[in-house]
Amino acid sequence: MKVVVDLTRCQGYGQCAFLAPDVFTMHDEALLYDLDPGDERREQVMRAAAACPVQAIHLDWTATRHIFEPPRTTTSSEVRKDGRIVIVGASLAGARAAGVLRREGFTGSLTLIGDEVREPYDRPPLSKQVLTGQVPAEHTFLPRLREVEAEWLRGSHATGLDVAGKRVRLADGREIGFDRVLLATGTRARPWPDEAAARLKGVYTLRTLEDAAALRQALAARPSRVLILGGGFTGCEIASVCREMGLEVTLVERASAPLVNALGSVIGDVAARLQREHGVDLRCDTTVTDLEGDADGRLRGARLSDGSTVEAEVAVVALGSIRNVEWLHDSGLAAGVWGVACDAGCRAVDTNGLVTDDIFVAGDIARFPHPLYQYQFMTLEHWGNAVAMAEIAAHNMVSDQAHRWPHLSVPVFWSSQFGVNIKSVGVPTFADEIVITQGSTSEHRFVAVYGYQGRVTAAVTFDQGIWLEFYQGLIERAEPFPPSFRHVDQREEAVPVPAGVPERLVATAGATVVVTGHDPAERRASLRH
């Protein structure tokens, strides 16, 4: 039996932990669970799923169904149910899209290409339950939809895309033909830039199942200190796990506080206080300049930009991710470090800015325009976004233009760290002001609402996830900011302050476009990487 909980919907009621305590546990409002609890617990889990007030628990299902499903009409022109579809990327988005394609009635040839030899697995537990040892790494495999009939090419690396010839090139020399293709190759962990230092024993990244298993083993050996490079969500979650295990932790972050790049400095300062209260040696406005090892090639410590040193036996490089798009550099698509550009229907855009008909994009590599955010192109490395885009892309691949859906989901993200369940809805970095509408930041239990030019654009909750759906409604209706009504548990007058979000980076920075030709029929653009 496989279990998946849509933590974007979970509101922390805890019935599941009461009905199936061997599978589900609650840390305050943060839910942890075993994805593969064994068939002997099926009855317990089924009762828990039935009792969930928001129906967030799913059995033998890769993920939840996307909530946006307009009424369907059946016309002969709508249906493109046969032919050959290839999905490049066999993780969450790719596996979900495969299931939805069959659900939508696609009867043709379906091939999934993945560079990992394992079946698809869920990544969020890797920095949580797997590191603590609560869940074995092999229990994170995602359930595959039982009705999916597909050819799975595991351990196969895609090296090129022939758009005109409609073929995917593989590293072993094979070429896989398609009528339509979905690009969902995701991201990989950004390594430490010095290759020699990155190979030191005791230096880790966290992205794959093997990464999690190796880091779990290293932490179980009780190192004297763990050094974490980067204060994003992954770095903070690993720091939380280490403190839960009683390990000494130093976290180095170049910004003024953890999570600033995602949530702004106001919430970043709250996260900093939370970490220090839990014993983390937090070094902000600082970077690691060098990792140092001994004669046996083992990590011994690091030098920091402020001139200090840190002794550590384990270092975790949590400096973000790199989008897996290099294989598309000669494809003619608008693909680069920023991702693969696509329209709101997940159709890829080529270097000339033209929308393609049979090439679709989903998940972490997709760069799409969002109408709620002034049609700004954005990439979202969120579990919920991967699921939603996979469903939209799969539906649109078997529909004609008149029946395609737009990807309009409001981004939702969650994190569990230091006993606090953090959730966000919307895009917190698309903001100029922030206001605390409920609770208290000093108690680490509150709701913060973000606004941009007089309208609500995002909300972040600390142990107040029950309110997330309400604020999502404000975002979708473009309600005025600051909210003018009185809130439950409003401690004091809500006064907006600057959000302290980082300056928005130009996503196309580093892209060089060359335009050739004079006549409109021959004028073309190309990318230089």
Side-chain angles (χ1 to χ4, degrees), residues 140-173:
T140 61
F141 290 119
L142 286 167
R144 284 170 51 188
L145 296 179
R146 293 175 178 177
E147 66 270 25
V148 172
E149 295 180 5
E151 179 186 18
W152 293 70
L153 302 181
R154 299 192 187 96
S156 299
H157 296 264
T159 58
L161 180 69
D162 181 354
V163 173
K166 290 193 170 184
R167 306 189 74 80
V168 176
R169 293 190 293 272
L170 303 183
D172 60 9

Side-chain angles (χ1 to χ4, degrees), residues 24 39 60 62 108 116 127 212 332 366 464 469 475 480-481 529:
F24 305 97
D39 287 336
D60 300 322
T62 52
E116 294 194 62
S127 58
Q464 292 276 21
E469 188 174 350
I475 297 168
F481 178 89
H529 295 281

Side-chain angles (χ1 to χ4, degrees), residues 58-337:
H58 302 269
L59 280 65
D60 300 322
W61 195 257
T62 52
T64 59
R65 291 184 64 165
H66 191 42
I67 60 173
F68 173 54
E69 293 200 29
R72 299 254 337 194
T73 58
T74 303
T75 66
S76 59
S77 62
E78 176 192 6
V79 182
R80 301 201 303 169
K81 306 294 187 184
D82 55 8
R84 300 170 300 173
I85 289 182
V86 172
I87 299 174
V88 187
S91 190
L92 176 64
R96 182 59 184 153
V100 174
L101 283 167
R102 292 306 192 198
R103 189 190 75 195
E104 292 269 339
F106 177 69
T107 59
S109 168
L110 180 59
T111 301
L112 284 92
I113 300 170
D115 57 3
E116 294 194 62
V117 296
R118 298 178 181 270
E119 291 188 11
Y121 53 89
D122 207 20
R123 296 188 191 276
L126 300 185
S127 58
K128 305 175 183 71
Q129 297 101 302
V130 172
L131 289 190
T132 62
Q134 179 186 1
V135 173
E138 60 270 17
H139 278 206
T140 61
F141 290 119
L142 286 167
R144 284 170 51 188
L145 296 179
R146 293 175 178 177
E147 66 270 25
V148 172
E149 295 180 5
E151 179 186 18
W152 293 70
L153 302 181
R154 299 192 187 96
S156 299
H157 296 264
T159 58
L161 180 69
D162 181 354
V163 173
K166 290 193 170 184
R167 306 189 74 80
V168 176
R169 293 190 293 272
L170 303 183
D172 60 9
R174 285 181 293 172
E175 294 189 349
I176 310 299
F178 63 84
D179 295 308
R180 281 149 285 168
V181 64
L182 174 64
L183 314 179
T185 45
T187 63
R188 62 187 184 274
R190 185 179 299 278
W192 182 246
D194 184 327
E195 294 184 5
R199 289 193 297 268
L200 289 171
K201 298 174 184 176
V203 178
Y204 299 88
T205 57
L206 181 58
R207 175 65 182 175
T208 68
L209 206 63
E210 290 77 13
D211 292 341
L215 181 55
R216 163 63 187 161
Q217 185 176 6
L219 298 181
R222 311 292 303 174
S224 59
R225 179 169 295 275
V226 178
L227 172 65
I228 300 174
L229 289 68
F233 283 106
T234 299
C236 291
E237 289 173 358
I238 296 171
S240 174
V241 167
C242 290
R243 291 305 299 143
E244 186 177 337
M245 297 174 66
L247 300 175
E248 297 298 320
V249 179
T250 296
L251 189 150
V252 180
E253 165 58 35
R254 77 163 55 237
S256 60
L259 306 181
V260 166
N261 289 332
L263 304 178
S265 61
V266 174
I267 306 304
D269 290 342
V270 177
R273 291 197 301 271
L274 182 65
Q275 290 198 17
R276 290 186 170 117
E277 288 173 7
H278 283 80
V280 175
D281 174 23
L282 181 61
R283 313 283 187 94
C284 296
D285 295 312
T286 310
T287 60
V288 172
T289 58
D290 191 23
L291 295 175
E292 299 180 334
D294 59 17
D296 296 325
R298 295 184 179 276
L299 176 74
R300 285 294 174 254
R303 293 186 179 276
L304 308 188
S305 59
D306 60 5
S308 63
T309 60
V310 175
E311 294 184 358
E313 295 176 349
V314 170
V316 185
V317 181
L319 299 176
S321 57
I322 300 173
R323 296 182 180 91
N324 295 320
V325 298
E326 294 88 348
W327 68 286
L328 296 169
H329 281 180
D330 296 325
S331 66
L333 298 181
V337 293

Side-chain angles (χ1 to χ4, degrees), residues 398-523:
V398 293
S399 303
D400 65 9
Q401 178 65 35
H403 298 89
R404 285 175 175 163
W405 299 345
H407 177 46
L408 296 176
S409 295
V410 180
V412 179
F413 180 79
W414 78 91
S415 176
S416 175
Q417 48 189 269
F418 303 101
V420 175
N421 188 26
I422 303 173
K423 287 190 173 184
S424 75
V425 61
V427 182
T429 54
F430 193 91
D432 49 25
E433 290 186 300
I434 186 174
V435 62
I436 306 301
T437 58
Q438 295 172 242
S440 168
T441 57
S442 62
E443 298 175 4
H444 311 309
R445 184 179 177 84
F446 62 89
V447 178
V449 180
Y450 295 73
Y452 180 69
Q453 296 184 351
R455 69 177 180 88
V456 176
T457 56
V460 169
T461 64
F462 276 46
D463 278 347
Q464 292 276 21
I466 192 173
W467 294 104
L468 210 67
E469 188 174 350
F470 169 77
Y471 286 100
Q472 179 175 331
L474 299 186
I475 297 168
E476 292 175 339
R477 296 191 300 271
E479 292 287 341
F481 178 89
S484 58
F485 47 84
R486 183 164 179 79
H487 301 271
V488 174
D489 194 29
Q490 183 170 332
R491 306 292 181 86
E492 55 191 32
E493 184 180 359
V495 179
V497 298
V501 300
E503 182 179 354
R504 284 182 228 150
L505 300 177
V506 179
T508 52
T512 301
V513 177
V514 177
V515 177
T516 57
H518 300 282
D519 186 271
E522 64 178 17
R523 196 160 174 78

